[in-house]
Amino acid sequence: MHNQHNYHSDTEVVGSDRTSFSGPLSGPLKRGGRKSARFHLPDNSSNTSSSTTISNDDMVEITIDVRDDSVAVHSVKTATGADVEDPELALLARGLEKKSSSFSATLARNASSRIRQVSQELKKLASFTKKPQRGKFDRTKSAATHALRGLKFISKTDGGAGWGVVEKRFDELTASTNGLLTRAQFGECIGMNKESKDFALELFDALSRRHNISGGLVNKAQLKEFWDRISDQSFDTRLQTFFDMVDKDADGRITEDEVREIIASSASANKLSNIQKQADEYAALIMEELDPNNVGYIMIEDLEMLLLQAPSHSVHIGESKVLSQMLSQRLKPMSDFGPLRRWYEDFKYFLLDNWQRVWVMALWIGVMAGLFTYKYIQYKNKAAFDVMGHCVCMAKGAAETLKLNMALILLPVCRNTITWLRNKTRLGVAVPFDDNLNFHKIIAIAIAIGVGIHGISHLACDFPRLLHATPDEYEPMEKYFGDQPTSYWWFVKGVEGVTGIIMVVLMAIAFTLASPWFRRNKVQFPKPFNKLTGFNAFWYSHHLFVIVYTLLVVHGIKLYLTKEWEKKTTWMYLAVPVILYASERLLRAFRSSIKPVQILKVAVYPGNVLSLHMSKPQGFRYKSGQYMFVNCAAVSPFEWHPFSITSSPGDDYLSVHIRTLGDWTRQLKTVFSEVCQPPPNGKSGLLRADFMQGQNNPNFPRVLIDGPYGAPAQDYKKYDVVLLVGLGIGATPMISIVKDIVNNMRAVEEEASSLEHGTNPSPPNNSNPGIHKRSGNNFKTRRAYFYWVTREQGSFDWFKGIMDEVAEMDQQEVIEMHNYCTSVYEEGDARSALITMLQSLNHAKNGVDVVSGTRVKSHFAKPNWRNVYKRIAINHPNSKIGVFYCGAPALTKELKQLALDFSHKTSTKFDFHKENF
């Protein structure tokens, strides 16, 4: 290639050390001209990793005269203009002044290795005069600095361990091929994953062309040359390698066809199917930008210009250096404290973070301990103690706690009652209603322990003691058991024994099928036993409680040692909770039957997501972040499943977005897909059906709803600033909140305007009038940060219209929206470099992001959550931030721990709320 010498290494050899500077001398050089350039000479003691931002303090400006046979130094100054008095720089200056046509030979004989390297760099620089440059790029600005860290071919996650690992992998792969690595094995050898196979093949071909290797086979020495090039920290080397990948005919020019091919390869490596389909359009966009004169090709200078001049939105997020300087000291662990002080601090923070849970758990445990002790002492003073000893005391004490817990376990699942209490009372300040299901599970564990103590004490201790008691010992027991039994089975086959055993078996089934392994299909059984796992099995097995509670009442009436009815207290414990729960179930059934909904729109989106838009029943009022239950008789007349409401309270419809994760949701998608058709132009979704007035409409399956019910996210209005995090389909409650924030902000503005002009604000058409009345009193949110993390590009179609609507309505920029697509390699990786270019170009020209298809620009890979918290802490000191997360449990621990860390060690307090599915 004729222009392969135009770009060179960003390295300078100082003795035996290899350190980097900012890059080649910038700007076009004319013969006899005087030019300046900046070198980066980092402090050996500092961190010189590629992630460190280069500042002007680290730069030195050298002004030189370049002529046909000489290079002369004119001046050496810092980037700020001050003269430099540094021994190393002085040595550098003297080396630059060495002249004559035998410049290289003289340096080779007399100068150090450092001067020789500088000479080589300047000779390459002088060769730039042979070809005019397109522009001058300042590599000290933030966008350029970010680009200098870009185009990594090897990341930490695939191959970053170094040549030793690659060499070992080479030996394993070539054990049967006489030490020759095939083209197909190259990606695996250097550590790239399977999704990057096509990209790895393109990289292999480019490196082979560069090193004049043909045949598709390389030996270890050649692979080492390849590795040295792709792991080179020089931006120019990486840029040249990337250019070579695109320039397949090695003529130093990139045509539109070659651009199209690399777009398709990059899109494939990043699982961006939509970009693959639009490769022609995006190739034309790049050519239009970089080839304005329609010469039919672009050069490497054009590619560099695009990289250095396209600002990345991650740069302003990458304020991590400043943030770290301000917060790192505060966030360090308390390693300087003694063990007693550390324990005290940890305990203090634990109480501050969990005082609601602590007092509820302490009260519950205290009541259980009191009941157990009361029964234990009571039976220790009875005649039965002389025969059965402490076993009967243990059994009766455990039985008393069982009565309490069998009553309490119903209360956390009385959803209407909990929703009313959290909405209409101030108990939410002291009672952690968001932990209702966790409390339900803890009580279930206590019941299992109580059943074990009660059953074992009776079966393994009390009954054998009665069988083996002497007649004199047994005599006080005759009024309870009659004649002394001679068989162990006499106890088992009685009413008490049969009801007790059946209850234990049914509770064991329900407990097992409710465990995460079974409920989430983590355990796989062959047919037909596969029906024992999944949500359906959990749902139906849990309804065995009807039988269990019936048997529990019978078991409590037929007690052996208690004959007085007023002392048979089981029914007394259960009466109120059972009546309350039964009333709730009846209310739900009645309410869903008298509040029918009409399906207005159905859409099936990529990622197996079904969107249902339905009419809002009269009087159906809800808050953003709440959820409702959905029933479809065409799938199952008995099953009700909860889904977050994605519409805003101000909308005249209800909407839910349902991802097919189990049997019921899969069947629901199937029955609705049957009435859908491919969408017409301008409509979203893979399949779609709309209800149209006065036309032949699809025969939608009948849907019932029940709700709304309270959820953690509904409390977002209590905070001035909120951080909303949605993982995959967990974005559903956050989307409703985002819309509601914009609606409320608009309502506040209208109220302020009406007060100023002395008029009464009127609600928008088809909106909820109550939004205006409430906005001034309850709505506090003035800033929201929304982070949506999803692994598939198609997921953005779920809420494309809503995100565009919010971006358009949010004139005051109250909501900062961040979309993250984790299938795309992190910014700076060569596999996503072209995607980044496309994103900047298309957003600048059309205002649309190429990844999400919305006005909201997308980020790549996963967010750095620590930096997210840092930035919010810096922007909002002395504030209380509401953090709301909805998604899989995997991310909960990290987000919660970061909220605690920043709350404890900064002036910003983060209240974490989560909703897992």
Side-chain angles (χ1 to χ4, degrees), residues 731-805:
T732 48
M734 310 307 167
I735 287 293
S736 177
I737 291 174
V738 165
K739 289 181 65 179
D740 195 36
I741 290 174
V742 175
N743 289 339
N744 277 282
M745 289 300 297
R746 178 190 294 167
V748 170
E749 291 177 6
E750 290 180 4
E751 285 183 355
S753 177
S754 64
L755 290 173
E756 182 178 348
H757 296 89
T759 60
N760 292 323
S762 58
N765 292 335
N766 300 323
S767 69
N768 185 352
I771 190 174
H772 291 268
K773 183 176 69 175
R774 296 191 310 267
S775 60
N777 297 326
N778 297 337
F779 183 68
K780 296 176 59 178
T781 308
R782 293 296 178 267
R783 183 68 169 163
Y785 299 87
F786 173 46
Y787 286 79
W788 183 19
V789 184
T790 182
R791 72 166 65 95
E792 299 166 343
Q793 182 187 17
S795 302
F796 295 114
D797 289 345
W798 306 345
F799 308 115
K800 180 185 293 185
I802 296 175
M803 286 190 288
D804 283 336
E805 179 185 354

Side-chain angles (χ1 to χ4, degrees), residues 414-568:
C414 290
R415 292 188 291 266
N416 287 292
T417 303
I418 290 177
T419 301
W420 182 85
L421 289 173
R422 70 183 300 162
N423 290 345
K424 303 298 183 181
T425 71
R426 295 187 175 274
L427 287 176
V429 176
V431 179
F433 289 118
D434 293 343
D435 288 332
N436 60 321
L437 292 183
N438 289 333
F439 191 47
H440 178 80
K441 295 172 185 177
I442 291 173
I443 295 174
I445 294 173
I447 288 174
I449 295 172
V451 167
I453 296 174
H454 180 76
I456 292 173
S457 296
H458 274 326
L459 296 174
C461 185
D462 289 339
F463 296 163
R465 280 174 173 261
L466 289 171
L467 287 173
H468 298 97
T470 63
D472 293 337
E473 291 174 336
Y474 184 79
E475 182 179 358
M477 299 291 100
E478 288 184 358
K479 61 179 179 179
Y480 302 114
F481 298 96
D483 295 337
Q484 185 174 11
T486 58
S487 170
Y488 186 87
W489 295 107
W490 184 90
F491 297 100
V492 177
K493 68 182 181 180
V495 175
E496 298 87 343
V498 171
T499 55
I501 292 173
I502 294 176
M503 281 192 293
V504 170
V505 171
L506 295 181
M507 284 193 288
I509 293 173
F511 192 91
T512 301
L513 297 184
S515 64
W517 299 279
F518 285 84
R519 182 165 49 89
R520 296 182 179 272
N521 279 317
K522 293 181 180 179
V523 178
Q524 298 294 332
F525 292 115
K527 293 183 178 179
F529 300 105
N530 60 325
K531 298 294 184 181
L532 294 176
T533 62
F535 187 86
N536 288 351
F538 154 74
W539 176 260
Y540 288 115
S541 66
H542 246 55
H543 283 78
L544 294 173
F545 79 91
V546 177
I547 302 174
V548 170
Y549 276 91
T550 303
L551 294 176
L552 181 61
V553 173
V554 174
H555 188 82
I557 293 174
K558 294 290 185 177
L559 294 176
Y560 286 121
L561 299 175
T562 304
K563 300 302 180 181
E564 300 86 354
W565 72 269
E566 68 275 7
K567 294 183 180 181
K568 299 178 180 181

Side-chain angles (χ1 to χ4, degrees), residues 32 59 95 147 168 192 266 290 553 561 668 706 763-764:
M59 310 297 293
K168 180 180 179 181
M192 284 190 174
S266 297
L290 300 184
V553 173
L561 299 175
L668 185 72
D706 174 48

